[in-house]
Amino acid sequence: MSISESIRKNSKSTAIGAVIVLILAGLLILNQTSTSATSRYNQPKWMFDLNTKQLAIAEASTYAPHDNGSGTFDYGRTGPAGSLVDAMVYSCGSPTDIKEGMTIDDLNGVDAHIVYLFRGVSNTSTATSGQLTDQEARIVSRSDGAAWFGQFTQQGQDVQNNFPECSDGSSPVRTRP
């Protein structure tokens, strides 16, 4: 008996089997897309304390700037706020070498770098009063935190695209704790 004859003789069983396979495939696809799409938003993230000059680990929901107890930091035009800000940490070495509490020099020692820091501007009245533009609702800085630029301004884009060069010619990899 050939496969096509078996299918014809057992068409009801074949149809039920096909529906079960389709349902399982749909559930698998749904699980894969929903897990991968949301899991990165639930992962811990790197932050950098501008007062202690150390890398920190925080929950994904932690809003920067955050007051972690080390005092406030003067952000210039946006005023003082918590000193903990989001950090985009990239590595040319092993990402597992990066640890909480590391300084810029420590990161350089494991061939890792903070490409840029960023934070939101929580004071919307400041953003709409003419002191800041709509392009500056999220601001970025180099790892020293000395100057802050709107994320979408030319200076902000320059800061965000200042990737280190890896000695082997490869591109640095973004890391997470």
Side-chain angles (χ1 to χ4, degrees):
M1 179 183 290
S2 70
I3 294 176
S4 60
E5 288 176 9
S6 289
I7 290 173
R8 265 186 259 136
K9 284 186 178 183
N10 301 310
S11 61
K12 189 174 183 179
S13 298
T14 303
I16 291 171
V19 168
I20 291 172
V21 168
L22 286 173
I23 290 172
L24 290 174
L27 289 172
L28 180 64
I29 290 170
L30 181 64
N31 183 43
Q32 290 297 319
T33 57
S34 64
T35 301
S36 62
T38 59
S39 65
R40 68 177 172 206
Y41 297 112
N42 295 328
Q43 292 179 357
K45 63 180 177 177
W46 289 121
M47 295 187 87
F48 189 73
D49 189 316
L50 291 164
N51 286 336
T52 65
K53 305 294 187 200
Q54 292 180 326
L55 200 59
I57 296 173
E59 295 298 318
S61 61
T62 304
Y63 182 81
H66 182 72
D67 182 2
N68 65 336
S70 73
T72 60
F73 183 82
D74 185 4
Y75 293 94
R77 293 185 302 156
T78 59
S83 63
L84 199 62
V85 294
D86 290 308
M88 295 301 287
V89 181
Y90 283 77
S91 178
C92 291
S94 173
T96 59
D97 291 341
I98 303 169
K99 307 290 183 210
E100 185 171 30
M102 289 183 127
T103 64
I104 299 292
D105 289 338
D106 295 335
L107 289 169
N108 290 335
V110 295
D111 209 9
H113 310 277
I114 295 175
V115 174
Y116 65 95
L117 304 172
F118 65 97
R119 58 159 282 205
V121 178
S122 59
N123 186 350
T124 55
S125 63
T126 302
T128 58
S129 68
Q131 294 179 8
L132 295 175
T133 66
D134 289 341
Q135 294 183 12
E136 296 176 301
R138 183 167 154 178
I139 55 178
V140 298
S141 174
R142 290 179 178 80
S143 60
D144 60 7
W148 292 84
F149 307 99
Q151 176 183 8
F152 299 113
T153 64
Q154 184 59 53
Q155 298 97 328
Q157 292 293 306
D158 292 345
V159 167
Q160 294 173 82
N161 293 319
N162 189 24
F163 287 91
E165 293 184 20
C166 296
S167 58
D168 64 1
S170 65
S171 297
V173 176
R174 181 176 173 206
T175 67
R176 291 191 178 270

